[in-house]
C-alpha cells in the first residue's frame, strides 16, 4: 500500500502526548472551538474553520505560525508568541495567547464570513467527540487535496472519514468522502454536486492515489485516537484496524442553509 500523505512522526506524537507540546493538546481537548488536524510533519489548529496556529517540525525544531492576513483590519495587534517551541513553557505561552488570536479571527470573520468552514469543523466535533450515541462516522481529515500525475491541482475533498458498522465490535471500516455545501451558491458552477461526483469517480480510477488516501485515513484515525481526539471505545493501541480497498466507497453530501425546493428544481430535475 502507498505511503500515507498526512501523518505525524513518532517524535511529534510523543511531544504532543507527553512532552513540550502537551499544553497545546490539553487546551484543544478542553476547548470545543478548537480542532487539531494532522498534516505531514505539522499540525494545524483550527478555530471557526480557519487555522489559528500552525506547528511544524523543521530541522528538529518546532516552529509556530499565525496567518497575518487575519489581522488586516488593524483592530487588534498580533500578540507575541514564541516563533519556536523548544521547551514546555513555550507551548504554555502559545496557549496563553490563543484568546487574543481568537479576537483577531472573530473580527476578520465578521467581515469575511466562512460559514461553510465553520459548519465543517462542527461536523468533525459532533462525530468524533460527541457525548451522545456515536454516529459511526469518524472524521480523520478536512480539506484533503489531490495532485494529478502532472502535478496540477486535482479534486479536493471537504471531509474524509471512516465508518464503523453500528453495533459491531470488529475493526473493519468503510472509507467515506463527505462533501459540505452551505448556502444556495455553493452548488452552482464548479461546485456543482455532479461535478464533484465525476471528480470522485475519476480519482478512484487511480489505484495508487486511492491506496494513499486509505493509508492516510488509517494512520490519522490511529493517531487521533491515541491523542484522545476521537472517542472510539472499542479501539486499543495494539489493535490493527482494517480498511478494505475493495470495499465500496461511501459518498455523503451535506446540504445546509439551502432553498431545497428551488435548488432541487434547478439542479437535480432533468
Amino acid at each position: 500500500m502507498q505511503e500515507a500523505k498526512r501523518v505525524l512522526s513518532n517524535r511529534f506524537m510523543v511531544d504532543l502526548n507527553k512532552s513540550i507540546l502537551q499544553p497545546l493538546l490539553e487546551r484543544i481537548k478542553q476547548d470545543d472551538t478548537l480542532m487539531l488536524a494532522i498534516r505531514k510533519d505539522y499540525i494545524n489548529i483550527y478555530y471557526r474553520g480557519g487555522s489559528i496556529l500552525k506547528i511544524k517540525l523543521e530541522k528538529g525544531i518546532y516552529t509556530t505560525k499565525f496567518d497575518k492576513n487575519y489581522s488586516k483590519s488593524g483592530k487588534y495587534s498580533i500578540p507575541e508568541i514564541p516563533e519556536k517551541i523548544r521547551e514546555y513553557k513555550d507551548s504554555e505561552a502559545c496557549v496563553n495567547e490563543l484568546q487574543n488570536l481568537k479576537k483577531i479571527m472573530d473580527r476578520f470573520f465578521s467581515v469575511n464570513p466562512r460559514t461553510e468552514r465553520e459548519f465543517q469543523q462542527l461536523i468533525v466535533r459532533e462525530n468524533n467527540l460527541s457525548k451522545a450515541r456515536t454516529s459511526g462516522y469518524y472524521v480523520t481529515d478536512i480539506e484533503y487535496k489531490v495532485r494529478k500525475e502532472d502535478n496540477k491541482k486535482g479534486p479536493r475533498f471537504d471531509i474524509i472519514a471512516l465508518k464503523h458498522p453500528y453495533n459491531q465490535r470488529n475493526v473493519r471500516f468503510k472509507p467515506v468522502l463527505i462533501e459540505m455545501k452551505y448556502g444556495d451558491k455553493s452548488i452552482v458552477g464548479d461546485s456543482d454536486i455532479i461535478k464533484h461526483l465525476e471528480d470522485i469517480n475519476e480519482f478512484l480510477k487511480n489505484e495508487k492515489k486511492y491506496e494513499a488516501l486509505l493509508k492516510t485515513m488509517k494512520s490519522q484515525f490511529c493517531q487521533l485516537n491515541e491523542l484522545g481526539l476521537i472517542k472510539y471505545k472499542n479501539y486499543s493501541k495494539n489493535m490493527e484496524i482494517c480498511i478494505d480497498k475493495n470495499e465500496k466507497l461511501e459518498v455523503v453530501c451535506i446540504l445546509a442553509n439551502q432553498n431545497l425546493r428551488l435548488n432541487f428544481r434547478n439542479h437535480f430535475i432533468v
Side-chain angles (χ1 to χ4, degrees):
M1 185 173 284
Q2 296 294 304
E3 180 183 358
K5 289 183 62 177
R6 299 183 178 187
V7 63
L8 298 178
S9 64
N10 290 335
R11 175 188 168 179
F12 213 129
M13 289 293 293
V14 170
D15 287 340
L16 278 168
N17 256 326
K18 302 177 181 179
S19 190
I20 62 174
L21 299 179
Q22 188 178 31
L24 287 161
L25 178 61
E26 290 306 311
R27 174 57 187 271
I28 293 167
K29 290 180 178 180
Q30 296 164 5
D31 189 339
D32 285 343
T33 68
L34 298 178
M35 169 196 161
L36 183 150
I38 292 174
R39 303 291 183 250
K40 181 66 175 177
D41 291 328
Y42 73 93
I43 60 173
N44 272 333
I45 301 174
Y46 285 97
Y47 170 65
R48 295 185 61 184
S51 178
I52 193 170
L53 202 59
K54 175 181 176 181
I55 311 293
K56 186 174 184 179
L57 183 59
E58 295 182 292
K59 298 180 180 179
I61 299 175
Y62 293 104
T63 60
T64 67
K65 182 179 180 181
F66 173 72
D67 189 346
K68 294 182 179 179
N69 287 324
Y70 290 125
S71 64
K72 285 184 176 179
S73 68
K75 178 70 175 180
Y76 302 106
S77 59
I78 299 177
E80 292 187 7
I81 59 174
E83 294 183 355
K84 297 180 180 180
I85 299 178
R86 301 178 185 272
E87 49 189 331
Y88 195 89
K89 68 178 183 179
D90 295 328
S91 288
E92 291 181 316
C94 291
V95 168
N96 291 337
E97 294 296 346
L98 281 175
Q99 288 303 116
N100 292 323
L101 295 178
K102 284 184 178 183
K103 288 180 181 179
I104 295 173
M105 294 180 71
D106 286 337
R107 174 78 177 180
F108 177 86
F109 290 139
S110 69
V111 181
N112 307 278
R114 295 183 179 178
T115 318
E116 182 171 293
R117 290 289 187 90
E118 289 194 52
F119 266 71
Q120 186 184 67
Q121 187 174 330
L122 181 62
I123 289 168
V124 176
R125 187 183 78 196
E126 288 302 306
N127 283 278
N128 288 1
L129 295 168
S130 175
K131 296 179 181 179
R133 183 186 293 267
T134 177
S135 68
Y137 291 87
Y138 299 94
V139 175
T140 66
D141 207 350
I142 60 174
E143 300 300 314
Y144 185 91
K145 298 178 182 178
V146 178
R147 286 280 181 181
K148 294 182 178 180
E149 296 299 336
D150 56 6
N151 208 34
K152 292 183 179 180
K153 288 184 179 180
R156 186 200 67 193
F157 305 132
D158 288 344
I159 300 173
I160 62 174
L162 293 177
K163 180 182 180 181
H164 187 265
Y166 176 71
N167 214 22
Q168 293 187 22
R169 297 189 61 85
N170 62 39
V171 288
R172 184 174 296 276
F173 289 78
K174 174 181 284 192
V176 183
L177 297 180
I178 302 175
E179 184 65 26
M180 179 76 204
K181 295 296 183 184
Y182 185 94
D184 293 331
K185 294 182 180 179
S186 66
I187 59 172
V188 297
D190 291 339
S191 297
D192 185 87
I193 293 177
I194 300 301
K195 174 64 166 58
H196 281 293
L197 293 176
E198 291 173 346
D199 287 343
I200 291 172
N201 186 56
E202 186 66 26
F203 167 74
L204 293 176
K205 294 178 182 178
N206 191 316
E207 186 174 345
K208 290 184 178 180
K209 290 189 180 298
Y210 185 49
E211 285 189 2
L213 171 66
L214 299 184
K215 180 74 172 180
T216 298
M217 286 177 164
K218 178 178 178 178
S219 298
Q220 289 182 329
F221 177 90
C222 295
Q223 291 193 332
L224 288 170
N225 189 77
E226 186 178 340
L227 294 172
L229 298 175
I230 281 182
K231 288 186 177 180
Y232 178 59
K233 62 182 180 180
N234 293 331
Y235 178 80
S236 65
K237 186 175 181 180
N238 296 323
M239 187 181 293
E240 182 71 17
I241 70 169
C242 177
I243 308 172
D244 187 351
K245 70 176 183 179
N246 296 316
E247 177 77 29
K248 190 174 182 179
L249 177 77
E250 181 173 319
V251 178
V252 176
C253 188
I254 299 176
L255 304 178
N257 192 26
Q258 302 273 352
N259 184 335
L260 294 182
R261 180 178 297 178
L262 174 65
N263 287 336
F264 269 79
R265 182 173 70 247
N266 289 344
H267 301 288
F268 296 100
I269 296 178
V270 179

